[in-house]
Amino acid sequence: MKTIIVVGNGMVGYKFCEKFVARQASNDFKILVFGEESRPAYDRVRLSQYFEDGNATALEMAPRSWYAENNIELITGQRVTDIHRSSRTISTMNDQTFSYDYLVLATGSSPFVPPIKGIEKEGVFVYRTIEDLEAISAYARTLSEGNMQPPKAAVLGGGLLGLEAAKAVMDMGLEPHVVEFAPKLMPRQLDRRSSKILQGKLASLGIHVHLNKATNAIIGSRAITGLQFGEYDGIMVDMLVVSAGIRPRDELAKTCGLEMGTRGGIVVNNKMQTSDSSIFAIGEVALYNNMIYGLVAPGYEMAEVAVSQILGDQEVLMSETIDMSTKLKLIGVDVASFGEPFMPVEKGYAILFENKTKDLYKRVNISHDGTKLLGGILVGDATDYNRLHQLYLNDLPIPEAAEELIIGSITNGSPSLGSVLDIPDVAQVCSCESVTKGDICNPIKSGACNSLSEVIAMTKATTGCGGCKPMVTDLVDETLASLGKEVQDTICEHFDYTRQELYGICKVKKISTFDQALATCGKGHGCEICQPLLASIFASLYNDTPNDEAVIQDTNDRFLANIQRNGTYSVVPRIPGGEISADKLITIGKVAKEYHLYTKITGGQRIDLFGAKLNQLPAIWKDLIDAGFESGHAYGKSLRTVKSCVGSTWCRYGMDESVSFAIALEERYKGLRSPHKIKGGVSGCIRECAEARGKDFGLIAVEGGWNLYVCGNGGANPKHAKLLAEQIDNETCIKYLDRFLMYYIRTAAPLMRTAPWLEKLEGGISQLQKIVVADSLQIASALESEMQSLIDAYQCEWKQAIENEAMKSRFKHFVNDEADDDNLVFVPMRDQWMPKQWEQ
Amino acid sequence: METIISTYTSVNEQAVKTWYKAGPVEAFPDNGGVCVKYKDRQIAVFNFKRKNTWYACQNLCPHKLEMVLSRGMIGDANSLPKVACPMHKKTFSLETGENLDGALDAIATYPVKVADNIVYIGFSE
Ligand code: SRM
Ligand SMILES: Cc1cc2nc3c(=O)[nH]c(=O)nc-3n(C[C@H](O)[C@H](O)[C@H](O)COP(=O)(O)OP(=O)(O)OC[C@H]3O[C@@H](n4cnc5c(N)ncnc54)[C@H](O)[C@@H]3O)c2cc1C
Ligand code: SF4
Ligand code: FES
């Protein structure tokens, strides 16, 4: 048995292990991994996510147990200090010695900290490890405490990483300032014009940019208080994050005499071997073709090469040219550059498109003979990045009028890039996991995979940076379509239809029970997917309440309450527009007290009462209904809340009565069942305190009426709502909303919010405008009258449930006993109660 | 917690010693479930009307050990009758109790018979 020692358990060191294990040759080898950091390898590319959720485990490349399961010994918190090449041993910081047959150096790099005067001051950080992020957060918190003004943070370096860091400090509530030595941002990827556009865009997000600034001192006594550029120039800041490039961690190699680059890095050949053939170097420490590649994809390829070489597969060599294309993530601005972003005149010419009013810049570089795309830059809209990148990578033919590559997408909405299926099978689509187009399409053609999720499970495509997701989705969809296979949007094995089709069938054939639906157009006995879906369709068509056919409802609808962690329920009475009288507040307080319910103000401007046992629900609702409350439908795929700000009733800036209108809208659409939940918001002025643009529909009062926005949401993938109509009066708002909502209800896929629905709608918002405002399909009056009949049919389903003994009888834990569920355990928390934590 | 799980073991019809009288047929909704209390046990009972078959299983979901399965939706997958837990939609065969979409422990199932409009569940003790 031979021993491989891997030094460094970062992204690339981990990938080496993963690829090694995948070859199943590991029985002949023992792998021993040393990592200096205390944690097993984590996804550094997504490091900034740690600020969002503070969840370090979620970033892990694999859990610690994975290493053990695959016979890899992982020793973390242990730095390797020396390599003794003559005895083929290494020693560690606590003087243990281990011998190797092969040594793999994957020590990565460290941030370069320029020797500026004062750089050692408190409040100066780098951005590379989870510990760095923890230190930054902790410092930011102490700065923010008791501070009225947001503290300021500078980021030294306006490259890819610097901008990411700037966004991160901004999200922490600090005022970000990016300081760059060069005259432009992202100097390696962008030209001056695109940098300008990016700068404007960043300014609108609140990120200040200082270009042409050579920082020559960091001022402050103990902690940083500012940066000094020239004699009279500088800025006052409370914190600094240095992001001025990286330096390979090559110290081990230096001391044992391996060949090094003049500016650092361990020299490797195309087998990833160093000057000592039993020592390999991969990732950001390796100097290949006289370059250090600060990206993860080349590192992964290096890992693949090293694994192959060690296992005797000598043909696998590192590619000659390394693709350095990049797309900036996170920041809220699309920025991408690929291939050769700048074009020396002797090699080709550039075609530029710039629209400053829209912060848009697109550039493609074309070979002199007009046949090849050599590179380009996209700022403001990078939707075409994946396709252009593929054209570039695979030397694919381009349109004769090369400007169509960028302008086509602006004039007619779709770029003239042809089908994704035109790219060759060998084209690499997911560079993080080296997945080619063939790897994605072939399993579909052979029938091994039938959906996006199956392709992802098989190939790991999209699981790295995720940038290739749109392209992989297109490839899967188009391949399925080319095989004549339905792109999977039929509902389940019981109904071979889409939701829209089923909606139509039920409407035409007046189907109103699940059994009828099965008999007319289904097969088998139904399942947990089609039953609630049909229930929702019946509700949208006839405004049936869930009481009518309780057993086909999702559990929340079946019991008209949201199930909680321990099987109890929460109770959310409707509080339209968030307005509530003192008497009603007292009632809620009394009910909560009587039934020992935990109360909390929700994110939707109302009050949730948690911990009600199934058999208590009718009594609780009786008390609430007697006091004038109604169901809040918090459990339903239906209208939730219409959030309001206080508006002109009280607010000195209010342009209109936002509360009154929010209440009117909430009353109008309450109980409306839809493909997914619907939320609304009404703000009294453009300060937008009701966050109306984060809702499925939102109104903002402006001079001369309301601006109506549609198709926004919060959640995991926030989307701002888009403007549908401007300066309209209350009546017109309602008319457009009736049409919009009803059209959505008719056509959306199950569990699809309005934002993704709009994305799928051909023609997008302008098409929706045509339908809703200009009535291009001539269905407006039908939509309006359908909506009106649903509104007329509204009844409070809780009132219905408690007044009808048969309906009420379902709210019991035991059918044969009045007892409570004896499995429930509550524990105290602050002044209330919560369910005991799960043990598994 | 282990103790709670171990109070539920599948019973097959031959082994039944006690037929527990759970209630009249009308108390059991068509195509849905309810929970029956038997001593300190909670049994989910489903009147799968569309198949004209009755099923019973433990009310305890092996995923998070909550007493909720009777509130799940029933249906079939490739003609196999199943129940989906209301909490996270894990599905279990109503015939064998086996977890159909994962590697959770199987749930215990019990025989059901209906005589003179009364529903009985079979226990082995
Ligand atoms: C109770 C509440 C949290 C709180 O304590 O504040 C809550 C609780 C739940 N939310 Fe929420 N959300 C609550 C406000 C929000 C908000 C804020 C808002 O409404 O302004 C959002 C972001 C806005 C939005 O929806 O666009 C929000 C976005 C989500 C999402 C993501 C939706 C999306 O389109 O991405 C889910 C998941 C889903 O629906 O698939 C979700 C799902 C859930 C579920 C249903 C998860 C579940 O299945 O158990 C939780 C139900 C708990 C319960 O029993 O009530 N909740 N949830 C809030 C109830 C508001 C209300 O009064 O009705
Ligand atoms: C915030 C951030 C965002 C990024 N975003 C992107 C992106 O969008 N796209 C992209 O392609 N790349 C991105 N990168 C770069 C990417 O993370 C790196 O290319 C990648 O992590 C390099 O992997 P590596 O294994 O070579 O080095 P590392 O991940 O740094 O791992 C090296 C490990 O070796 C350990 N080590 C060093 N010396 C020793 C020793 N003597 N003994 C034991 N252990 C040692 C180190 O502690 C470290 O844990 C980003 C980087 C950062 C910091
Ligand atoms: S964010 Fe929403 S879904 Fe997630 S835990 Fe909070 S309430 Fe539940
Ligand atoms: S508790 Fe049943 S699926 Fe999670």
Side-chain angles (χ1 to χ4, degrees):
Chain A
M1 174 132 59
K2 291 191 168 160
T3 304
I4 304 175
I5 291 184
V6 181
V7 187
N9 185 225
M11 296 187 76
V12 175
Y14 162 77
K15 198 45 88 176
F16 177 88
C17 297
E18 186 193 287
K19 289 189 184 276
F20 208 93
V21 168
R23 297 285 188 93
Q24 284 165 342
S26 40
N27 288 342
D28 310 335
F29 290 91
K30 175 182 162 46
I31 302 186
L32 183 57
V33 181
F34 291 93
E36 180 188 37
E37 294 186 65
S38 60
R39 306 180 161 76
Y42 52 89
D43 189 345
R44 217 178 287 289
V45 171
R46 298 208 182 142
L47 189 64
S48 302
Q49 213 145 48
Y50 183 74
F51 282 131
E52 280 165 36
D53 51 17
N55 186 348
T57 358
L59 287 177
E60 274 174 12
M61 305 293 292
R64 200 176 274 277
S65 56
W66 177 88
Y67 296 86
E69 280 156 22
N70 289 292
N71 278 327
I72 297 173
E73 192 177 343
L74 172 65
I75 303 174
T76 50
Q78 188 72 270
R79 183 159 47 85
V80 172
T81 47
D82 290 288
I83 301 173
H84 316 283
R85 287 166 54 194
S86 51
S87 59
R88 293 202 174 183
T89 55
I90 56 119
S91 45
T92 64
M93 61 196 252
N94 57 4
D95 285 333
Q96 282 177 295
T97 306
F98 299 85
S99 49
Y100 63 83
D101 295 285
Y102 293 105
L103 184 62
V104 177
L105 299 176
T107 47
S109 64
S110 54
F112 169 61
V113 181
I116 299 171
K117 197 172 131 220
I119 196 93
E120 71 296 336
K121 289 199 197 312
E122 208 176 284
V124 179
F125 300 93
V126 294
Y127 199 80
R128 175 107 194 153
T129 63
I130 290 185
E131 283 71 20
D132 293 336
L133 267 61
E134 280 169 345
I136 292 174
S137 304
Y139 198 75
R141 268 197 303 277
T142 58
L143 286 179
S144 304
E145 266 161 29
N147 227 332
M148 296 296 283
Q149 291 293 328
K152 294 181 184 173
V155 174
L156 195 66
L160 266 173
L161 258 181
L163 294 182
E164 192 178 320
K167 170 74 165 37
V169 295
M170 181 170 81
D171 290 345
M172 266 182 264
L174 277 62
E175 184 185 302
H177 291 260
V178 173
V179 178
E180 169 60 50
F181 174 71
K184 57 183 185 179
L185 287 166
M186 295 176 59
R188 290 215 259 162
Q189 290 91 4
L190 299 186
D191 55 15
R192 268 204 213 209
R193 281 164 180 266
S194 50
S195 159
K196 264 253 144 51
I197 297 267
L198 175 60
Q199 196 180 341
K201 194 84 198 182
L202 293 177
S204 73
L205 293 174
I207 300 178
H208 306 261
V209 175
H210 310 264
L211 298 175
N212 283 315
K213 299 289 180 210
T215 307
N216 52 29
I218 289 161
I219 50 180
S221 53
R222 196 165 52 92
I224 174 171
T225 55
L227 302 183
Q228 190 177 306
F229 306 139
E231 208 173 332
Y232 303 106
D233 191 8
I235 51 171
M236 306 301 288
V237 293
D238 310 290
M239 187 167 104
L240 175 67
V241 179
V242 179
S243 175
I246 52 172
R247 286 292 174 268
R249 299 261 323 249
D250 53 13
E251 59 270 12
L252 276 177
K254 212 181 287 174
T255 52
C256 75
L258 292 177
E259 188 188 342
M260 312 282 293
T262 39
R263 286 167 54 222
I266 309 173
V267 173
V268 289
N269 59 18
N270 58 2
K271 300 177 174 172
M272 290 300 118
Q273 274 165 334
T274 64
S275 53
D276 176 333
S277 62
S278 54
I279 303 182
F280 292 74
I282 56 180
E284 281 186 350
V285 74
L287 190 73
Y288 174 65
N289 279 350
N290 219 0
M291 271 267 288
I292 294 286
Y293 302 91
L295 294 175
V296 67
Y300 282 6
E301 190 183 342
M302 292 175 179
E304 172 75 33
V305 172
V307 166
S308 304
Q309 291 294 336
I310 292 176
L311 291 177
D313 196 350
Q314 311 221 330
E315 254 112 84
V316 183
L317 299 171
M318 191 68 190
S319 312
E320 200 54 43
T321 50
I322 307 291
D323 178 33
M324 294 292 283
S325 306
T326 37
K327 193 168 158 195
L328 186 63
K329 52 186 198 290
L330 283 176
I331 194 124
V333 189
D334 272 8
V335 182
S337 111
F338 59 95
E340 174 57 77
F342 322 114
M343 184 80 341
V345 277
E346 65 280 6
K347 276 172 75 185
Y349 64 94
I351 301 176
L352 313 182
F353 172 86
E354 181 173 333
N355 182 343
K356 286 199 176 132
T357 60
K358 290 194 171 156
D359 291 336
L360 262 185
Y361 179 81
K362 299 185 177 196
R363 167 182 182 150
V364 281
N365 299 322
I366 310 292
S367 62
H368 280 306
D369 61 4
T371 60
K372 275 192 191 135
L373 176 61
L374 302 175
I377 299 172
L378 302 170
V379 176
D381 173 11
T383 24
D384 297 340
Y385 170 72
N386 279 307
R387 295 206 178 188
L388 290 172
H389 187 205
Q390 286 298 329
L391 288 181
Y392 153 73
L393 278 181
N394 299 293
D395 272 349
L396 294 180
I398 57 174
E400 216 165 304
E403 64 275 15
E404 282 176 20
L405 288 173
I406 44 177
I407 306 192
S409 60
I410 290 154
T411 48
N412 61 19
S414 62
S416 41
L417 302 180
S419 158
V420 266
L421 295 183
D422 295 344
I423 63 173
D425 270 6
V426 294
Q428 201 171 74
V429 175
C430 171
S431 48
C432 297
E433 293 291 339
S434 300
V435 183
T436 63
K437 179 198 154 202
D439 296 338
I440 291 168
C441 299
N442 295 337
I444 303 178
K445 290 185 195 150
S446 72
C449 291
N450 274 308
S451 65
L452 181 63
S453 53
E454 284 169 20
V455 169
I456 292 175
M458 176 181 269
T459 61
K460 293 190 106 187
T462 76
T463 58
C465 70
C468 60
K469 184 87 181 259
M471 183 137 210
V472 175
T473 312
D474 284 353
L475 280 171
V476 170
D477 286 354
E478 292 196 21
T479 311
L480 282 170
S482 74
L483 297 172
K485 285 192 196 170
E486 192 75 34
V487 177
Q488 271 200 350
D489 53 3
T490 62
I491 287 155
C492 64
E493 63 175 83
H494 305 103
F495 291 93
D496 239 348
Y497 299 96
T498 63
R499 178 184 176 277
Q500 187 176 359
E501 287 162 347
L502 258 191
Y503 182 94
I505 296 172
C506 291
K507 187 172 175 185
V508 173
K509 304 209 169 162
K510 305 215 162 38
I511 296 171
S512 63
T513 68
F514 188 72
D515 281 348
Q516 278 172 9
L518 267 184
T520 322
C521 54
K523 50 180 181 280
H525 299 293
C527 66
E528 69 281 4
I529 296 169
C530 55
Q531 295 180 69
L533 185 127
L534 274 148
S536 159
I537 291 180
F538 300 151
S540 299
L541 283 174
Y542 320 114
N543 219 354
D544 281 359
T545 72
N547 293 321
D548 295 320
E549 200 174 355
V551 293
I552 62 167
Q553 311 286 340
D554 236 323
T555 192
N556 285 356
D557 276 300
R558 178 166 175 198
F559 298 109
L560 305 176
N562 299 59
I563 197 165
Q564 301 299 320
R565 221 154 48 67
N566 60 349
T568 61
Y569 289 87
S570 76
V571 171
V572 187
R574 185 164 296 290
I575 299 179
E579 181 187 83
I580 184 162
S581 67
D583 280 338
K584 284 195 164 167
L585 276 175
I586 290 170
T587 304
I588 289 189
K590 277 192 183 149
V591 168
K593 200 160 177 175
E594 180 172 352
Y595 296 95
H596 302 282
L597 304 177
Y598 167 96
T599 56
K600 176 181 180 299
I601 309 289
T602 71
Q605 265 185 356
R606 49 189 184 172
I607 302 171
D608 202 340
L609 304 139
F610 295 84
K613 295 169 192 154
L614 186 56
N615 43 331
Q616 292 177 324
L617 287 172
I620 291 173
W621 273 103
K622 171 139 197 345
D623 291 352
L624 290 170
I625 287 169
D626 286 347
F629 284 105
E630 289 184 320
S631 168
H633 301 97
Y635 44 80
K637 300 292 174 242
S638 55
L639 181 80
R640 295 287 170 86
T641 62
V642 180
K643 187 172 175 176
S644 74
C645 74
V646 68
S648 62
T649 330
W650 291 91
C651 178
R652 62 194 160 136
Y653 295 116
M655 315 269 297
D656 209 330
E657 274 193 52
S658 41
V659 182
S660 306
F661 202 26
I663 294 174
L665 292 174
E666 191 163 334
E667 294 284 1
R668 182 171 182 81
Y669 300 120
K670 66 189 175 192
L672 180 69
R673 288 306 204 276
S674 44
H676 205 314
K677 58 189 166 196
I678 308 174
K679 301 181 179 184
V682 184
S683 280
C685 82
I686 44 132
R687 285 169 194 77
E688 245 284 70
C689 300
E691 299 171 307
R693 288 195 64 199
K695 307 286 183 243
D696 299 276
F697 62 87
L699 295 160
I700 299 175
V702 292
E703 198 64 58
W706 300 99
N707 281 358
L708 170 57
Y709 295 85
V710 292
C711 302
N713 60 240
N717 203 352
K719 283 269 155 36
H720 262 152
K722 300 214 158 100
L723 186 66
L724 185 77
E726 272 177 295
Q727 296 171 303
I728 51 178
D729 59 12
N730 294 25
E731 226 170 276
T732 315
C733 273
I734 289 177
K735 188 163 76 182
Y736 290 169
L737 276 175
D738 281 2
R739 295 175 184 177
F740 157 69
L741 290 171
M742 206 62 228
Y743 188 59
Y744 162 67
I745 290 171
R746 273 196 191 181
T747 57
L751 299 182
M752 182 182 250
R753 288 284 292 269
T754 52
W757 169 74
L758 182 65
E759 259 166 44
K760 290 264 170 240
L761 186 75
E762 209 153 315
I765 184 74
S766 54
Q767 175 67 8
L768 188 62
Q769 252 157 358
K770 283 184 204 143
I771 297 171
V772 169
V773 179
D775 192 15
S776 59
L777 301 180
Q778 308 214 322
I779 52 171
S781 65
L783 294 174
E784 283 170 41
S785 67
E786 275 166 38
M787 179 62 87
Q788 194 56 48
S789 65
L790 290 180
I791 292 167
D792 294 341
Y794 169 80
Q795 56 178 321
C796 171
E797 52 217 34
W798 260 115
K799 189 156 187 290
Q800 185 188 34
I802 57 174
E803 285 175 354
N804 177 319
E805 283 307 318
M807 289 178 177
K808 192 165 119 184
S809 67
R810 72 178 186 273
F811 300 94
K812 286 177 79 179
H813 189 76
F814 295 111
V815 66
N816 59 338
D817 200 309
E818 296 304 321
D820 287 348
D821 176 3
D822 52 2
N823 191 42
L824 293 174
V825 183
F826 290 93
V827 295
M829 190 190 46
R830 291 180 282 279
D831 292 329
Q832 309 196 64
W833 294 98
M834 63 170 271
K836 203 170 135 232
Q837 286 298 343
W838 280 324
E839 295 188 7
Q840 58 181 52
Chain B
M1 269 301 162
E2 281 308 310
T3 53
I4 257 220
I5 302 177
S6 61
T7 49
Y8 297 96
T9 42
S10 288
V11 173
N12 66 30
E13 191 130 17
Q14 291 76 35
V16 172
K17 294 227 176 71
T18 316
W19 282 106
Y20 174 72
K21 195 169 162 180
V25 166
E26 306 79 67
F28 296 80
D30 290 354
N31 297 308
V34 290
C35 176
V36 168
K37 184 169 166 66
Y38 173 68
K39 298 185 181 163
D40 58 353
R41 267 176 259 178
Q42 301 195 12
I43 309 294
V45 179
F46 301 95
N47 172 7
F48 205 146
K49 188 87 174 188
R50 276 193 281 278
K51 283 175 69 82
N52 268 320
T53 317
W54 290 71
Y55 297 99
C57 65
Q58 68 191 51
N59 195 29
L60 185 74
C61 176
H63 180 215
K64 293 293 176 188
L65 303 182
E66 298 296 347
M67 289 292 188
V68 290
L69 288 178
S70 59
R71 288 177 251 164
M73 263 178 280
I74 54 173
D76 64 351
N78 302 317
S79 316
L80 209 70
K82 63 171 184 178
V83 57
C85 176
M87 203 76 92
H88 309 99
K89 297 271 167 74
K90 305 274 182 207
T91 53
F92 302 90
S93 159
L94 285 170
E95 271 163 10
T96 64
E98 156 200 20
N99 177 207
L100 300 173
D101 60 348
L104 291 170
D105 290 341
I107 54 174
T109 58
Y110 300 85
V112 185
K113 74 173 185 192
V114 179
D116 292 336
N117 211 39
I118 300 292
V119 180
Y120 298 87
I121 309 169
F123 293 97
S124 58
E125 72 276 4

